[in-house]
Every structure is written in structure tokens, then in C-alpha cells.
Amino acid sequence: MPNDRNTIGGEPSGHWQDVPSHGESYRDDPQRHDLTPQRGQDNANLIYILYLVNIAVPFLGLVGVIMAYSARATAAPDLRSHYDNQIRIFWLTVIGYFVSVVLMFVLIGFLLAFAVFIWKIVRVATGMSLLARGQPVRNAESLSFTSE
């Protein structure tokens, strides 16, 4: 058997074989995920940043949730937990602010809007901290302030 520089002991080596061919995706094989975890981590971090900047610049949260939905399918499980967390943060914030607006007629809506604002900042900061440490979000489904 010929031994070229891309084989070791007759078995192909190098990770170019791990890249899906045209029409394939990583979700077709559960063992294959984003080969550039740093790129995926940077993308997730950018989404968290968009959520924070969304406080001052409207609609950046919408851009962030679209990015999270599109990246979730091909992400490794640990990174997928961050995308799930980001999607949940977006939708719970939208629902919370909607309910706040409705309740502003009885004045409790202002307190609820403030609580939603604080909840969002804490969840985003906690998610960014976990992402920086390379840890998954463990309880993205909860309504708690932290996602650890």
C-alpha cells in the first residue's frame, strides 16, 4: 500500500477529511461538529454582545437571535447550550416587555420592565462568563437570574 503524506499506517490522517462535502452538514453525523470551536465561541460571544448593545440600539437583539438559530444546528453540544440560552433570553425578554407594557396601566409594569431588564443583563453576563471558561449553560430552561 502506498504511503503518502496524508496517510499514517494506511489510514488517512489530517482533518481535511472531517470537513463535510457539498450538501452534507455536521448534523448528519453527531460526532462531527464545528471544527473551529474558537470561531463558534466568538460567534456566541458576539451574540451576547449584541444583546447588551441592544439596550441602546434597537433590533440588534433580533439580529442576535437569528444568528443563534442559524448557528445552533451545527454547534457542538456545549456551544449549543449557549445558543439555546441566547434564544431563550431573547424570547423571554420579548414576552416580559410585552407583559410590562400591558401592566403599565396599573403601574406595576414599570417594576416588571425593570426586573426584565436586570434579568437580561445578568443572564447575558453569566452566559458570557461561562462561555469564556469553556463551560456549557446548565439550566437554560429556568427563569433564574443565573444560567450556571
Side-chain angles (χ1 to χ4, degrees):
M1 173 183 278
N3 190 9
D4 64 15
R5 58 191 170 117
N6 288 329
T7 62
I8 297 175
E11 294 296 319
S13 68
H15 81 246
W16 62 269
Q17 291 90 353
D18 294 336
V19 178
S21 64
H22 182 70
E24 280 185 342
S25 75
Y26 291 110
R27 83 187 121 183
D28 296 334
D29 182 356
Q31 300 299 319
R32 292 163 66 176
H33 302 290
D34 189 355
L35 293 176
T36 56
Q38 183 61 42
R39 187 174 137 218
Q41 190 173 1
D42 290 346
N43 186 47
N45 200 40
L46 175 62
I47 295 168
Y48 282 127
I49 291 169
L50 287 174
Y51 283 2
L52 290 176
V53 176
N54 182 60
I55 295 166
V57 181
F59 301 108
L60 285 182
L62 184 60
V63 172
V65 79
I66 290 169
M67 290 173 62
Y69 272 117
S70 66
R72 181 173 64 168
T74 59
D78 287 354
L79 200 51
R80 187 176 303 129
S81 72
H82 285 279
Y83 293 129
D84 290 340
N85 184 47
Q86 292 164 342
I87 291 166
R88 187 161 178 87
I89 289 170
F90 175 83
W91 287 113
L92 289 178
T93 301
V94 167
I95 292 167
Y97 282 140
F98 177 77
V99 171
S100 297
V101 168
V102 171
L103 292 177
M104 283 183 186
F105 296 107
V106 291
L107 301 179
I108 196 167
F110 294 103
L111 291 173
L112 181 60
F114 182 70
V116 169
F117 175 77
I118 297 300
W119 178 85
K120 177 182 177 179
I121 291 173
V122 171
R123 284 294 287 231
V124 168
T126 304
M128 288 178 83
S129 174
L130 289 169
L131 184 64
R133 293 185 304 220
Q135 297 175 345
V137 175
R138 287 179 183 64
N139 64 347
E141 305 85 28
S142 80
L143 291 173
S144 69
F145 275 88
T146 62
S147 22
E148 292 189 83

